[in-house]
């Protein structure tokens, strides 16, 4: 009897997949490394809440690590580090490899924009002696999650004379914050009857910014006037300057550990700054890789990647072409031989809401970095679907380097779905696969990741760059 059990055990080990919790597999020393890595990650989440702030941070870190502005007329050699900033909202970093660039480059892609509330072009108004900013939500949010959350404001205001003011208010402990109101439950019986998509409507996401009227005169809209006076004193702006501004309201709270065991990170905008940060740490640490390493940290993923700072634009293609030209090569030759890990978050299996997941093909917290062969919705619509050959290559690499990884689809078939930038990079004739960190409460003001998964993503990107 005992012998038979042993046979089954041995066969199971040989033939069946064995999914283990990363936090169980990792040694205490490794777990401490995950925790330490996430201290830096949490700082990044607090400093870089918008694409512009992330871009500024990444540029600063890159310069500190010896990266120089890319010059298409210059000549480069192995080990040289360059960066390119696209309109203050996207960055490309590259470390020149030892191999000829015609052999292709290894691309890491992630996005640095996150769902939020953007101010409308004409945002300032007063209603019944309360001052407000009108917003237009950015990306796919559950609108009902955003009222009663303390918000900070980030962005730029371009004045008529062309000068630009950078705004960050609500982050410092002494700063005021802003907030969207919600109806008290006592009076919400009619609101409760609305479908959840309209529990809070887009035009109800109005941010409260003040309530005291201008005192020394009589007339209408004195709260608005008083607020405009404060804004004029602080920033030197008039109401018309909002017309040429980009102001984004995001949750004001800081990144925190979650749980008695501090195993999870809770923060705004982990989609996809978790992949942006891990990617950044991987490429900043690259010494002299075999193949040229490229990291693209892009904007506009959450609205479909259109626009000149999103990956549907030609900026990545142009950069690769310019880099290729520095070595007398053609951009298309380089792209066709290139490989890409398109790093974006995936849905973590949520034990509270198991019905939308197919458990065998879902990523779990503490399961390691998630490799996703295809995304999309319905019949794989909008996916790039990585080839078995490329999946095999990535699988072998991760196993060889001891990276803890798992696979996962975004939920059950036909329940929903979603896409990433993978398809746009694959469309450039690049072998591309989705790789990323599983997230709970994705697109909510406070998203959750596991520290072991964050660290596993870093290890995966490090392995890919140095492959
Ligand atoms: Mn994303
Ligand atoms: Mn997203």
């Amino acid at each position: 009897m005992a012998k038979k059990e042993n046979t089954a055990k041995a066969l199971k080990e040989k033939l069946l997949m064995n999914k283990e919790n990363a936090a169980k597999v990792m040694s205490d020393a490794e777990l401490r490394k995950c925790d330490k890595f996430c201290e830096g990650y949490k700082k990044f989440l607090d400093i870089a809440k918008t694409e512009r702030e992330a871009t500024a941070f990444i540029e600063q870190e890159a310069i500190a690590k010896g990266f120089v502005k890319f010059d298409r007329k210059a000549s480069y050699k192995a080990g040289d580090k360059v960066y390119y900033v696209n309109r203050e909202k996207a960055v490309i970093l590259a470390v020149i490899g030892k191999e000829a660039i015609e052999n292709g480059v290894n691309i890491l892609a992630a996005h640095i924009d996150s769902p939020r509330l953007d101010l409308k072009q004409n945002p300032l108004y007063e209603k019944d002696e309360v001052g407000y900013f009108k917003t237009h939500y950015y990306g796919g949010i559950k609108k009902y999650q955003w009222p009663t959350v303390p918000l900070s404001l980030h962005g730029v205001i371009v004045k008529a004379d062309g000068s630009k003011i950078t705004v960050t208010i609500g982050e410092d402990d002494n700063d005021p914050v802003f907030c969207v109101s919600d109806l008290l439950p006592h009076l919400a019986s009619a609101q409760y009857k609305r479908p959840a998509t309209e529990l809070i409507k887009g035009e109800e996401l109005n941010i409260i910014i003040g309530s005291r009227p201008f005192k020394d005169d009589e007339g209408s809209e004195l709260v608005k006037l008083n607020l405009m006076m404060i804004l004029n004193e602080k920033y030197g702006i008039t109401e018309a300057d909002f017309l040429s501004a980009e102001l984004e309201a995001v949750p004001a709270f800081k990144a925190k550990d979650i749980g008695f065991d501090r195993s999870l990170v809770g923060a705004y905008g982990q989609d996809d700054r978790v992949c942006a940060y891990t990617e950044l740490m991987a490429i900043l640490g690259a010494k002299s890789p075999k193949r040229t390493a490229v990291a693209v940290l892009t904007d506009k993923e959450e609205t479909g990647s259109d626009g000149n700072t999103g990956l549907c634009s030609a900026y990545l293609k142009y950069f690769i072409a310019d880099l290729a030209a520095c070595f007398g090569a053609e951009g298309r030759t380089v792209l066709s031989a290139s490989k890409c890990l398109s790093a974006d978050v995936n849905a973590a299996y949520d034990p509270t809401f198991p019905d939308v997941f197919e458990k065998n093909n879902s990523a779990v917290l503490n399961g390691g970095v998630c490799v996703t062969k295809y995304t999309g919705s319905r019949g794989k619509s909008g996916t790039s679907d990585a080839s078995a050959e490329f999946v095999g290559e990535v699988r072998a690499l991760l196993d060889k380097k001891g990276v803890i990884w798992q696979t996962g689809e975004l939920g059950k078939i036909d329940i929903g779905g979603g896409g990433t930038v993978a398809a746009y990079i694959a469309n450039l004739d690049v072998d591309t696969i989705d790789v990323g960190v599983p997230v709970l409460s994705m697109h909510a003001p406070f998203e959750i990741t596991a520290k072991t998964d964050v660290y596993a993503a870093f290890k995966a990107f490090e392995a890919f760059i140095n492959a």
Side-chain angles (χ1 to χ4, degrees):
M1 209 48 199
K3 201 182 168 208
K4 225 178 192 177
E5 265 175 28
N6 284 341
T7 312
K9 198 182 162 218
L11 275 176
K12 268 187 185 169
E13 260 171 38
K14 191 176 160 201
L15 299 177
L16 300 183
M17 285 202 295
N18 182 25
K19 279 194 199 172
E20 276 214 271
N21 188 306
K24 207 174 153 205
V25 175
M26 285 181 177
S27 67
D28 285 349
E30 275 179 302
L31 284 173
R32 273 196 299 275
K33 271 190 199 167
C34 298
D35 295 348
K36 195 175 165 218
F37 185 85
C38 285
E39 290 306 303
Y41 170 48
K42 284 186 291 177
K43 279 196 193 110
F44 171 71
L45 288 168
D46 292 343
I47 294 170
K49 287 192 174 179
T50 66
E51 60 283 358
R52 286 179 188 268
E53 289 169 355
T55 298
F57 176 85
I58 292 161
E59 181 178 9
Q60 183 192 313
E61 293 297 298
I63 290 168
K65 282 279 185 327
F67 283 71
V68 296
K69 237 185 203 139
F70 175 62
D71 173 4
R72 54 195 282 212
K73 299 272 180 280
S75 62
Y76 295 104
K77 58 178 190 315
D80 284 349
K81 301 167 176 189
V82 296
Y83 74 91
Y84 164 76
V85 173
N86 181 4
R87 297 169 173 86
E88 298 185 15
K89 297 180 188 179
V91 201
I92 303 176
L93 306 172
V95 181
I96 310 301
K98 288 187 264 219
E99 274 187 15
I101 200 157
E102 287 90 337
N103 292 357
V105 300
N106 283 2
I107 302 168
L108 289 170
H111 68 92
I112 50 178
D113 62 319
S114 295
R116 59 182 190 247
L117 305 180
D118 282 347
L119 296 203
K120 287 192 183 185
Q121 272 199 287
N122 188 12
L124 179 65
Y125 74 103
E126 162 181 351
K127 190 168 182 214
D128 303 325
E129 297 194 274
V130 179
Y132 289 99
F133 277 150
K134 264 275 165 207
T135 69
H136 194 136
Y137 68 97
Y138 174 99
I141 61 167
K142 287 169 117 175
K143 293 187 276 289
Y144 68 79
Q145 292 177 331
W146 291 72
T148 73
V149 168
L151 301 169
S152 56
L153 273 180
H154 302 244
V156 296
I157 303 168
V158 176
K159 297 208 280 186
D161 65 4
S163 64
K164 185 156 66 180
I165 300 145
T166 302
V167 175
T168 314
I169 182 161
E171 292 296 331
D172 190 275
D173 282 344
N174 297 314
D175 282 351
V177 295
F178 311 93
C179 198
V180 175
S181 67
D182 194 3
L183 211 45
L184 62 170
H186 316 64
L187 298 179
S189 55
Q191 185 193 25
Y192 284 155
K193 293 200 176 71
R194 296 182 187 178
T197 49
E198 288 172 26
L199 201 54
I200 293 290
K201 297 177 187 174
E203 294 294 352
E204 291 168 343
L205 290 169
N206 305 317
I207 300 175
I208 296 173
I209 56 165
S211 66
R212 287 188 185 167
F214 178 71
K215 256 191 195 157
D216 306 331
D217 205 353
E218 296 204 348
S220 61
E221 300 206 306
L222 292 180
V223 173
K224 176 178 169 177
L225 181 66
N226 195 46
L227 284 164
M228 204 55 241
M229 269 183 56
I230 295 170
L231 287 164
N232 180 264
E233 261 169 44
K234 191 167 166 64
Y235 300 112
I237 59 166
T238 62
E239 190 182 9
D241 292 324
F242 283 117
L243 296 172
S244 47
E246 277 179 354
L247 292 166
E248 308 173 5
V250 301
F253 37 67
K254 305 261 185 280
K256 289 278 188 187
D257 288 342
I258 295 182
F260 289 114
D261 57 5
R262 296 180 168 264
S263 59
L264 308 164
V265 174
Y268 162 71
Q270 298 200 69
D271 171 9
D272 183 34
R273 268 175 283 246
V274 66
C275 295
Y277 181 75
T278 44
E279 228 183 78
L280 176 68
M281 290 302 116
I283 196 157
L284 290 185
K287 293 280 179 299
S288 185
K290 222 192 297 172
R291 286 157 66 88
T292 293
V294 175
V296 54
L297 300 133
T298 195
D299 180 32
K300 291 286 178 284
E301 194 279 340
E302 294 296 356
T303 52
S305 294
D306 286 315
N308 56 13
T309 53
L311 271 184
C312 285
S313 99
Y315 82 93
L316 175 64
K317 191 169 86 177
Y318 289 164
F319 175 83
I320 301 279
D322 288 345
L323 189 64
C326 291
F327 296 91
E330 265 193 80
R332 54 152 296 182
T333 313
V334 175
L335 282 168
S336 299
S338 291
K339 299 166 189 181
C340 172
L341 297 189
S342 172
D344 203 345
V345 298
N346 205 319
Y349 173 84
D350 190 334
T352 300
F353 301 101
D355 294 353
V356 298
F357 297 95
E358 188 266 288
K359 213 174 169 196
N360 282 345
N361 288 284
S362 292
V364 294
L365 291 178
N366 290 306
V369 66
C370 179
V371 177
T372 302
K373 187 175 182 293
Y374 49 84
T375 60
S377 29
R378 302 181 306 280
K380 299 191 179 181
S381 175
T383 186
S384 73
D385 206 345
S387 70
E389 290 84 350
F390 190 49
V391 182
E393 193 181 321
V394 171
R395 177 188 158 198
L397 173 72
L398 297 181
D399 284 343
K400 191 176 127 199
K401 299 282 179 179
V403 178
I404 298 174
W405 66 281
Q406 58 183 330
T407 57
E409 280 190 35
L410 191 89
K412 275 183 183 164
I413 294 168
D414 291 345
I415 288 249
T420 65
V421 300
Y424 312 124
I425 297 173
N427 289 349
L428 299 173
D429 196 26
V430 174
D431 274 325
T432 306
I433 189 166
D434 277 286
V435 174
V437 175
V439 176
L440 275 187
S441 311
M442 194 196 294
H443 284 202
F446 198 63
E447 302 174 313
I448 300 170
T449 57
K451 290 181 180 177
T452 55
D453 300 335
V454 176
Y455 192 64
F458 164 68
K459 297 304 278 183
F461 302 149
E462 197 180 42
F464 179 68
I465 279 183
N466 296 305

